[in-house]
């Protein structure tokens, strides 16, 4: 049960940390940088491509590095990936934005695969159903909490800025750093 508890808590905090990104990024791109919703969709689409591509290699990577090494490395990469969104400003190339989204998708996919399978590693077969219910509930809850935390962070940073509640790129940059830190926890 210890592995399940640790994996579940880590899964929850990590998902809260990166769960706010699909909320923060479109708002940054549309309200602060002036991209249309269609442009924003195209820029964020590589995130899904990264998610799908890494699924093809996740089992091999887990076997090669093992859970502990892989989760330490990937959590650091995921945190850096989230923090890399602070590079997005007016004038940032669309290719750079797409690349950042793709890398974030890769790291997110690896985190999903490894954390989800680790949670069930030591669960006796008679308790799999209960463990699955708990894990599924937390997987549904965490992104909502991530959006809520992101919204609170944005509100706090914008309330204390010189521009009132105007959402500027530096406000989002600070929010990305906070969300990266939550992921690292």
């Amino acid at each position: 049960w210890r592995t399940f508890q640790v994996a579940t808590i880590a899964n929850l905090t990590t998902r809260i940390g990166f769960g706010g990104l699909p909320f923060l990024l479109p708002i940054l791109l549309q309200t602060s940088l002036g991209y249309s919703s269609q442009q924003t969709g195209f820029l964020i689409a590589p995130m899904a491509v990264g998610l799908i591509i890494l699924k093809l290699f996740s089992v091999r990577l887990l076997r090669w590095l093992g859970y502990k090494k892989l989760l330490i490395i990937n959590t650091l990469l995921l945190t850096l990936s989230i923090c890399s969104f602070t590079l997005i400003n007016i004038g940032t190339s669309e290719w750079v934005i797409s690349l950042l989204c793709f890398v974030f998708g890769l790291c997110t996919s690896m985190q999903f695969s490894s954390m989800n399978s680790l949670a069930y590693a030591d669960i006796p077969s008679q308790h799999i159903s209960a463990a699955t219910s708990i894990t599924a509930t937390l997987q549904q809850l965490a992104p909502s909490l991530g959006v809520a935390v992101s919204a609170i962070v944005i509100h706090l940073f914008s309330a204390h800025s010189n521009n009132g509640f105007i959402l500027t790129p530096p406000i989002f940059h600070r929010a990305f750093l906070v969300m990266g830190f939550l992921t690292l926890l």
Side-chain angles (χ1 to χ4, degrees):
W1 284 103
R2 174 139 171 77
T3 302
F4 178 75
Q5 290 171 335
V6 170
T8 301
I9 291 168
N11 203 350
L12 178 64
T13 57
T14 303
R15 284 176 185 263
I16 290 171
F18 66 74
L21 269 287
F23 167 74
L24 289 173
L25 201 51
I27 295 173
L28 166 65
L29 294 173
Q30 291 177 30
T31 63
S32 296
L33 302 179
Y35 286 98
S36 70
S37 56
Q38 183 178 13
Q39 288 172 308
T40 298
F42 284 129
L43 291 174
I44 294 175
M47 202 179 291
V49 175
L51 282 161
I52 293 167
I53 286 176
L54 199 82
K55 288 291 181 202
L56 303 171
F57 304 102
S58 60
V59 172
R60 284 185 222 140
L61 285 170
L62 270 169
R63 286 183 185 143
W64 181 52
L65 291 172
Y67 280 101
K68 186 176 181 178
K69 244 189 232 180
L70 181 71
L71 282 169
I72 290 170
I73 292 168
N74 193 68
T75 301
L76 291 172
L77 290 174
L78 184 56
T79 299
L80 290 173
S81 175
I82 293 168
C83 293
S84 75
F85 288 114
T86 62
L87 299 173
I88 299 174
N89 278 305
I90 295 172
T92 301
S93 163
E94 292 177 351
W95 288 104
V96 170
I97 296 169
S98 294
L99 178 63
L100 293 175
C101 289
F102 177 74
V103 170
F104 175 73
L106 291 172
C107 294
T108 302
S109 181
M110 192 70 249
Q111 200 74 11
F112 283 153
S113 296
S114 54
M115 293 298 290
N116 291 345
S117 59
L118 180 62
Y120 303 112
D122 295 337
I123 299 293
S125 59
Q126 67 267 24
H127 297 292
I128 289 288
S129 178
T132 302
S133 297
I134 292 168
T135 303
T137 300
L138 291 177
Q139 287 174 357
Q140 295 298 315
L141 181 64
S144 300
L145 291 173
V147 170
V149 169
S150 297
I152 291 167
V153 168
I154 286 290
H155 177 76
L156 291 174
F157 286 140
S158 64
H160 297 300
S161 75
N162 295 335
N163 298 328
F165 286 101
I166 297 174
L167 299 176
T168 60
I171 290 170
F172 285 96
H173 295 164
R174 286 184 225 126
F176 289 133
L177 293 174
V178 168
M179 300 314 284
F181 177 74
L182 284 173
T183 300
L184 188 60
L185 286 178

